[in-house]
Amino acid sequence: MADTKREIERKYEGPPAGGDAPLPDLTSVPGVSGVIDKGVAELDATYYDTADQRLATASLTLRRRTGGDDAGWHLKLPVSEGVRDEIRAPLSDTVPEDLTALVRSRIREAELVPVVRLLSARDIRHLVDASGTLLAEVSVDRVRAERLSGGAGSAEWTEIEVELADDGDPAFLDKVEKKLRKAGIKRSASASKLAKALDDTAPRKPGKADKPGKAGKVADVSKATTKAAKPEPVDSPPRTAGDHILTYVRAQRDAIVELDPAVRRDVPDSVHRMRVATRRLRSTFRSYGKILDRTVTDPIGVELKWLAAELGVDRDQEVLTEHLTTALDDLPPDLVTGPVQARLSTWSGARRSGSRQHLIAVLDGKRYLDLLTTLDTLVAGPPLREAASKKPEKVIAKAVRKDFKKVADLVGEALELPPGSERDLAMHDARKKAKRTRYAAEAATPALADPAADLVKSMKSLQTLLGDHQDSVMVRGALRELATEAHAAGENAFTYGVLYGRAEQRAAAVEAELPGEWEAIEDKGAV
């Protein structure tokens, strides 16, 4: 079974392979009382990737390594600069399915093959404090890289690696680096050994003299194919309305793909964040139909709605249970009669569909993987309409104002209705439209600056207020159901009535607050 270790480290360049790699006296680093020589470990690592290096492109590494004290399979997922989560699995002859699943959103149906072998002689030293506690591990690695696919090159180099001890203070690495820099040791230009190995062993591009003669047409076709397969450019600043919206679309596509491993690992809030990315994408397609052709994006929106629903199978029930639990905890003990907490737990558990396994099946399924491929295709060849080439200040602002007007109409309708189920539904519709307008304004912020950013804040505030009201509606529905079950079982339903009354009061408070909140938002207006 795979386990996870947070890895915080920095890499530094050493002299050419075969030369000396002297380290300065690290006992003079503040906090270090001793440097313990742990000897040399011989490491043999084979790195796996797709033939077109999809993992390397995403700064992910997957390897099978023997030697040292952590032999096995290692998958490294980037967290931030110098920080990675290392997922470990025991040694086996083939890539463990647990690890393959964690890179599924990257590789899709492609095969994982050996791409590089690294043979390292690792000279290890432990930096410890006065109590003997490990602060960091410093190693001098003499590395030989051998290309296993996509060429047959080799390379050798020496590098220094400083890895922070578990639960260590990252600021300690700054102290070590200061000492290394004074000794003339500088940071590595490569993010990882694999990145350097792929660069140093890559086949050399042919010079003019090496270009084929009669085979030139074949070479041209290969070149054209390679060009078509390149990732979409992201470095140039957005200029047109289409540029800005595509930048936002690309960011949400990336978020879905990048969050996939976290969702599979059940990282807190990961499901919610992926769900939000799907909603942002779907909202953007609908808000900016003048920029992206909706005959193309609407079918994708259907699939995004499906994915959001699958992600929310447990989430909605979890949130509702949290609301009910909090409300029950806030009641004075003398208002709690009967086995209310036990019934709530039973009720909640019965409605959780064991969807953890279901969700993993969804992420491994063809429909989800096809959706990711469709999003890739959309970003690589967007269905732009004529307005996409125009200046963003006019086209994007018009779309945001249109969404804002729809929110205004829905809020106005809700305020005209008397309290009851029709008003509840109208306020829920207004909340959904406020959310869509918020996402439209988010996409517009780089182009429209402060006016769009202010609208994001206004819509978030409105969304929160209307969300509190919708939570009350859902809580009251659940309480009616719980009270009915309790009564049928011969239990006292008094407490459910008390909770229902409190939820009703919260809804009334929101309805009383809404006119003033909306008046303030209308005064500010849209972009």
Side-chain angles (χ1 to χ4, degrees), residues 68 157 225 310 314-315 338 451:
W157 71 90
T225 303
E310 295 289 3
D314 260 3
R315 175 63 182 169

Side-chain angles (χ1 to χ4, degrees), residues 238-257:
R239 294 184 176 86
T240 66
D243 289 340
H244 280 279
I245 299 310
L246 284 175
T247 296
Y248 190 75
V249 167
R250 186 181 296 113
Q252 307 318 313
R253 184 277 313 266
D254 291 349
I256 293 172
V257 173

Side-chain angles (χ1 to χ4, degrees), residues 237-248 288 291 388 390-400 439-454 456 527:
R239 294 184 176 86
T240 66
D243 289 340
H244 280 279
I245 299 310
L246 284 175
T247 296
Y248 190 75
Y288 294 104
I291 294 174
K390 296 181 179 179
K391 292 182 179 181
E393 292 79 7
K394 181 177 180 180
V395 178
I396 292 178
K398 184 177 180 180
V400 174
Y439 295 153
E442 282 180 357
T445 297
L448 306 182
D450 289 347
D454 290 342
V456 170
V527 295

